[in-house]
Amino acid sequence: MVNKTDEQLIKEFQDGNKVAYEILYNKYKDRIYNFVYRYVNDVDAAQDIAHDTFLKLYTHKNTYREIAKFSTWLYTIALNICRTELRKKKRRKTYSTSELSTEDREFAISSDNNVIQDKGSDSFEINSVVNSCLMKLTEEFRTMIIFRDIQELSYDVISNIMELPIGTVKSRINRGRVKLNQYLREKGYNK
């Protein structure tokens, strides 16, 4: 089963092969968790949403049709659960302690690939600042930045997940990057 595509594995899982599910779970669990964490910026919520994503995969396996890549379908499930959770959170008006940032230090985002370069602070603090700035972005920009720059999904996959033309995806990624860099500069991080 090692050389099978995701689409072959989900088909086998739909036919009752639970080992195929385990392979898919092991392949995507960290990717989904990382996406969800960056999206909601809350460790506990991210764990719950990632769990719910795989639970939905398990219980709704027969809703997958091979009109899209399996990964596109799975990220769409995760994104929809994230959006629902953020709507609930807004209604409750609660705040996570993970939204509180630690002391700011300098780092730069290189203009060629938007990679954060450390200048005297550990990666936890940098991640905290970047996550804080990501959460300031509108949902559409945050989603695009996470999919492209953190999850490293192709424009085509993002286009399918978001159900948008590739040109729109590229434009929103670019505008999101500009806005993210602006927020980072406001926090004292130079480009």
Side-chain angles (χ1 to χ4, degrees), residues 42-94:
D42 182 303
V43 172
D44 294 331
Q47 289 171 342
D48 290 344
I49 292 169
H51 174 76
D52 290 348
T53 300
F54 286 101
L55 181 62
K56 192 159 197 155
L57 163 62
Y58 195 89
T59 59
H60 292 78
K61 65 184 176 212
N62 292 320
T63 62
Y64 172 76
R65 301 284 178 260
E66 203 172 330
I67 55 174
K69 288 178 61 175
F70 170 78
S71 60
T72 301
W73 183 70
L74 188 61
Y75 275 107
T76 302
I77 291 171
L79 178 61
N80 289 337
I81 296 172
C82 284
R83 287 177 172 166
T84 300
E85 181 60 31
L86 287 179
R87 279 193 300 271
K88 288 179 188 176
K89 187 176 181 180
K90 264 187 186 172
R91 284 193 296 262
R92 289 190 302 255
K93 296 193 187 272
T94 59

Side-chain angles (χ1 to χ4, degrees), residues 16-31:
N17 183 344
K18 292 192 173 39
V19 173
Y21 170 81
E22 291 174 20
I23 293 170
L24 289 169
Y25 173 80
N26 287 326
K27 180 176 180 180
Y28 284 98
K29 67 181 178 179
D30 292 337
R31 296 178 197 183

Side-chain angles (χ1 to χ4, degrees), residues 87-191:
R87 279 193 300 271
K88 288 179 188 176
K89 187 176 181 180
K90 264 187 186 172
R91 284 193 296 262
R92 289 190 302 255
K93 296 193 187 272
T94 59
Y95 300 96
S96 165
T97 56
S98 64
E99 291 174 2
L100 304 173
S101 66
T102 57
E103 133 186 1
D104 291 341
R105 304 234 176 139
E106 285 195 19
F107 70 93
I109 295 185
S110 69
S111 58
D112 56 322
N113 61 6
N114 288 322
V115 174
I116 298 170
Q117 298 170 345
D118 189 1
K119 287 187 181 175
S121 68
D122 65 15
S123 62
F124 177 79
E125 290 179 72
I126 292 172
N127 274 331
S128 177
V129 172
V130 171
N131 284 342
S132 171
C133 291
L134 273 173
M135 293 307 290
K136 288 182 178 182
L137 294 174
T138 63
E139 182 180 327
E140 70 178 344
F141 291 153
R142 181 173 64 244
T143 304
M144 297 294 179
I145 295 295
I146 294 169
F147 277 149
R148 182 67 183 155
D149 294 337
I150 297 171
Q151 294 292 307
E152 299 179 346
L153 298 179
S154 70
Y155 291 115
D156 189 46
V157 170
I158 298 169
S159 172
N160 288 330
I161 292 171
M162 301 302 293
E163 298 178 348
L164 294 169
I166 289 179
T168 303
V169 168
K170 289 179 178 181
S171 171
R172 288 184 184 172
I173 289 169
N174 186 48
R175 291 186 355 225
R177 286 173 177 161
V178 168
K179 199 71 172 160
L180 179 62
N181 283 328
Q182 175 188 336
Y183 290 143
L184 289 168
R185 280 192 301 277
E186 288 171 5
K187 287 206 170 260
Y189 293 82
N190 301 321
K191 183 171 178 181

